[in-house]
Amino acid sequence: MVEKEPIKASEIDTKFKYEITKMHGGEKLMRCFQCGTCTSDCPVARFSETYRPRQIIRMTQLGLKERVLNSDTLWLCASCFTCTDRCPQGVEVASVIRVLRNLAAEKGIVPRVFKEQVSSVLDSGYAYKIPELRMKKRESLGLPPLPKGNPESICKTLRGLGFLKHLEKQGE
Amino acid sequence: MAENKYLIFLGCAIPYRVSAYEISSRKVLQKLGVELVEMPEFNCCGLPLDPVSHEMMLILAARNLALAEQKGLNILTLCPGCAGTLKKVNKVLKEDKALREEINRHLKEAGLEFKGTADAKHIMQVLIEDVGLEKIKDTVVKPLTTLKVAEHNGCHILRPREFIGFDDPEDPKTLKTLIEATGATCLDYMDETECCGAPSVGVSDKIALQLARDKLNHIKMVDAQAMITICPFCHIMYDTNELRIEKMFNETYGIPILHYPQLLGLAMGLSPEELAIGELRVDASKILKQIAEGEK
């Protein structure tokens, strides 16, 4: 995160916070009064020099949209939900971060590991490509066959999402 | 709905690389009279898609729940991530009519509808709530009384508390109680509820491994002979990475990581082979020997 760069007034998107509070999980963003419980209880922040959930929340409140959405640290959250459970103001911190990730993803900013899982689900119904060998091994272990994953049916249900097309384009 | 009959939900990580968890779970559930029904129409629970598209996650989770509703059965998952996702989406869609209608418009394309009549439970919840501690204790024929272990819960079966509503995320007791039912001692240690780090793998392996190392350190401090997990991701994090961590930090742990059903299975008198203990990366022969000697 480029915290050391001075903030220019032109960078501030004053409507950004309302964009977030309209989204599922982001509703309580404005309740945050920066106590820092989230950062001090965050297991990732303990080992990261840059990941600070409190800072992400504050930047979001301030409307530093581009900085937040382009920040690598957004993707470090382990989604353990400790911050959400302990926030004295009831902010769903981890969900605000997820909302921000979703918005970044819409702009095409997604680390490869997440992108791969999405395309794997669309192709096979599973987040990881399960090798044929594994399937055969199940038989020899006496395990029932795996659900087929049903990618056709999944894609049918997801067809209505404009998002899907966007993602496919990126994969090309 | 019949109390001890469930649709088994495997998710992605277990068939991909944690079959020992599935094998041992099926064995102990069978012993406890829990009937598992296969459901070929299931797909990924949706959780891996949440960082990219919340809506996609909701649709996938609702699809699985709608399939279970059609069968008139509740879901049993082995993965806390799947359980947490299905529970959360179930609650949200039951309460938010507008959202439910929106998701149902998507499901309709595949001839499905979410109504909110099926539950999703993690195996730990089924064991403690539906099977019951007494029945579990009755199946223990070889109590593991000489064994001292440490537990590690998966975050998503506890948090966020508001949506999951199972056990106390700050001081979880279920896994401890289940471990003690096998006769083993479950030790307390520092930062017990801390995340394993698995979700950060691929984004920052370094941070993920440091988190896992921290946990191994805390467990070593209390001289635990094994760590007991109930999550495929946590298990991969510790079992697969323990040797890597040892090399990276020039440390020695040698702590085997067992799936809870493996521990319970041993106490039920099942053999290590039946419980696929040989699939563990970290050698568990020392504790197996100790258990065998304890019987004499």
Side-chain angles (χ1 to χ4, degrees), chain B residues 271-286:
Chain B
S271 71
E273 292 74 30
E274 284 174 287
L275 298 164
I277 289 188
E279 283 204 25
L280 302 177
R281 298 274 184 99
V282 181
D283 182 27
S285 57
K286 210 169 146 188

Side-chain angles (χ1 to χ4, degrees), chain A residues 70-154:
Chain A
N70 286 294
S71 165
D72 294 342
T73 64
L74 205 53
W75 300 92
L76 281 174
C77 165
S79 322
C80 72
F81 295 101
T82 306
C83 51
T84 296
D85 269 359
R86 293 189 186 160
C87 175
Q89 286 293 90
V91 180
E92 291 179 59
V93 183
S95 299
V96 172
I97 290 168
R98 188 258 306 146
V99 168
L100 294 167
R101 285 176 169 186
N102 284 184
L103 292 175
E106 271 179 39
K107 289 162 66 89
I109 310 164
V110 193
R112 186 198 278 180
V113 55
F114 294 99
K115 216 184 272 182
E116 279 171 359
Q117 288 182 358
V118 175
S119 43
S120 179
V121 169
L122 299 178
D123 289 347
S124 69
Y126 291 96
Y128 312 102
K129 299 221 162 31
I130 298 165
E132 272 300 303
L133 221 80
R134 277 267 163 197
M135 306 268 198
K136 284 202 182 114
K137 201 180 163 199
R138 289 183 66 85
E139 249 173 79
S140 64
L141 289 170
L143 292 171
L146 273 187
K148 288 186 189 72
N150 313 287
E152 304 81 16
S153 170
I154 294 176

Side-chain angles (χ1 to χ4, degrees), chain B residues 4 58 83 139 169 203 207 213 223 268 290:
Chain B
N4 283 337
L58 289 173
T139 58
V203 184
I207 291 175
R213 175 202 178 208
D223 295 324
M268 285 173 163
Q290 185 181 319

Side-chain angles (χ1 to χ4, degrees), chain B residues 213-234:
Chain B
R213 175 202 178 208
D214 222 29
K215 184 73 94 160
L216 290 170
N217 255 325
H218 294 159
I219 283 181
K220 194 181 167 188
M221 271 182 224
V222 296
D223 295 324
Q225 293 171 289
M227 186 200 284
I228 310 300
T229 64
I230 44 92
C231 170
F233 288 99
C234 301

Side-chain angles (χ1 to χ4, degrees), chain B residues 22-75:
Chain B
E22 181 187 348
I23 293 167
S24 54
S25 295
R26 286 184 188 271
K27 285 267 157 58
V28 300
L29 288 171
Q30 193 186 8
K31 275 234 170 200
L32 292 166
V34 176
E35 190 185 336
L36 298 178
V37 179
E38 304 303 316
M39 184 69 181
E41 284 81 22
F42 278 152
N43 50 259
C44 167
C45 73
L47 182 62
L49 308 188
D50 201 30
V52 175
S53 163
H54 187 59
E55 220 177 352
M56 233 190 239
M57 180 283 280
L58 289 173
I59 295 171
L60 278 191
R63 183 182 180 278
N64 290 313
L65 289 164
L67 285 164
E69 290 172 9
Q70 280 187 346
K71 289 273 172 191
L73 286 171
N74 289 329
I75 292 173

Side-chain angles (χ1 to χ4, degrees), chain B:
Chain B
M1 291 186 184
E3 211 177 327
N4 283 337
K5 187 173 174 184
Y6 303 88
L7 293 168
I8 183 158
F9 192 93
L10 292 173
C12 304
I14 292 166
Y16 183 54
R17 55 195 286 194
V18 201
S19 51
Y21 187 25
E22 181 187 348
I23 293 167
S24 54
S25 295
R26 286 184 188 271
K27 285 267 157 58
V28 300
L29 288 171
Q30 193 186 8
K31 275 234 170 200
L32 292 166
V34 176
E35 190 185 336
L36 298 178
V37 179
E38 304 303 316
M39 184 69 181
E41 284 81 22
F42 278 152
N43 50 259
C44 167
C45 73
L47 182 62
L49 308 188
D50 201 30
V52 175
S53 163
H54 187 59
E55 220 177 352
M56 233 190 239
M57 180 283 280
L58 289 173
I59 295 171
L60 278 191
R63 183 182 180 278
N64 290 313
L65 289 164
L67 285 164
E69 290 172 9
Q70 280 187 346
K71 289 273 172 191
L73 286 171
N74 289 329
I75 292 173
L76 179 150
T77 85
L78 302 181
C79 172
C82 301
T85 305
L86 297 173
K87 273 174 187 294
K88 190 172 173 179
V89 173
N90 210 8
K91 185 171 192 286
V92 169
L93 293 187
K94 272 194 213 176
E95 289 168 6
D96 188 336
K97 194 172 169 241
L99 188 64
R100 183 171 68 236
E101 281 169 2
E102 190 193 322
I103 298 300
N104 271 333
R105 269 200 299 278
H106 292 284
L107 293 185
K108 211 178 159 191
E109 297 285 326
L112 290 165
E113 189 193 354
F114 172 90
K115 295 192 187 86
T117 55
D119 267 346
K121 288 184 167 189
H122 180 260
I123 180 171
M124 193 164 63
Q125 196 180 2
V126 168
L127 289 175
I128 204 84
E129 289 175 3
D130 301 346
V131 174
L133 210 53
E134 286 316 304
K135 195 164 179 189
I136 295 171
K137 282 181 180 164
D138 284 348
T139 58
V140 171
V141 292
K142 292 178 178 171
L144 312 173
T145 38
T146 65
L147 207 60
K148 290 187 173 68
V149 302
E151 53 92 30
H152 172 78
N153 270 281
C155 298
H156 294 138
I157 190 56
L158 301 170
R159 299 184 192 279
R161 183 200 294 257
E162 189 198 338
F163 292 102
I164 309 298
F166 173 67
D167 212 336
D168 176 358
E170 298 296 341
D171 185 18
K173 296 270 194 307
T174 305
L175 185 52
K176 270 188 189 164
T177 310
L178 289 171
I179 287 172
E180 275 159 7
T182 69
T185 305
C186 190
L187 302 164
D188 294 326
Y189 63 95
M190 204 159 85
D191 294 337
E192 268 184 50
T193 58
E194 199 96 324
C195 168
C196 70
S200 299
V201 170
V203 184
S204 169
D205 288 7
K206 199 178 146 209
I207 291 175
L209 290 175
Q210 277 174 305
L211 271 168
R213 175 202 178 208
D214 222 29
K215 184 73 94 160
L216 290 170
N217 255 325
H218 294 159
I219 283 181
K220 194 181 167 188
M221 271 182 224
V222 296
D223 295 324
Q225 293 171 289
M227 186 200 284
I228 310 300
T229 64
I230 44 92
C231 170
F233 288 99
C234 301
H235 191 270
I236 293 174
M237 206 52 214
Y238 298 120
D239 183 53
T240 312
N241 288 315
E242 193 173 311
L243 288 171
R244 201 172 151 200
I245 293 166
E246 286 181 336
K247 264 193 203 146
M248 202 181 217
F249 297 96
N250 197 19
E251 292 163 339
T252 322
Y253 293 105
I255 302 169
I257 319 293
L258 268 69
H259 304 287
Y260 174 72
Q262 291 183 318
L263 186 82
L264 178 58
L266 288 171
M268 285 173 163
L270 296 168
S271 71
E273 292 74 30
E274 284 174 287
L275 298 164
I277 289 188
E279 283 204 25
L280 302 177
R281 298 274 184 99
V282 181
D283 182 27
S285 57
K286 210 169 146 188
I287 60 165
L288 292 179
K289 202 174 150 215
Q290 185 181 319
I291 292 168
E293 277 168 2
E295 285 166 26
K296 282 170 203 164

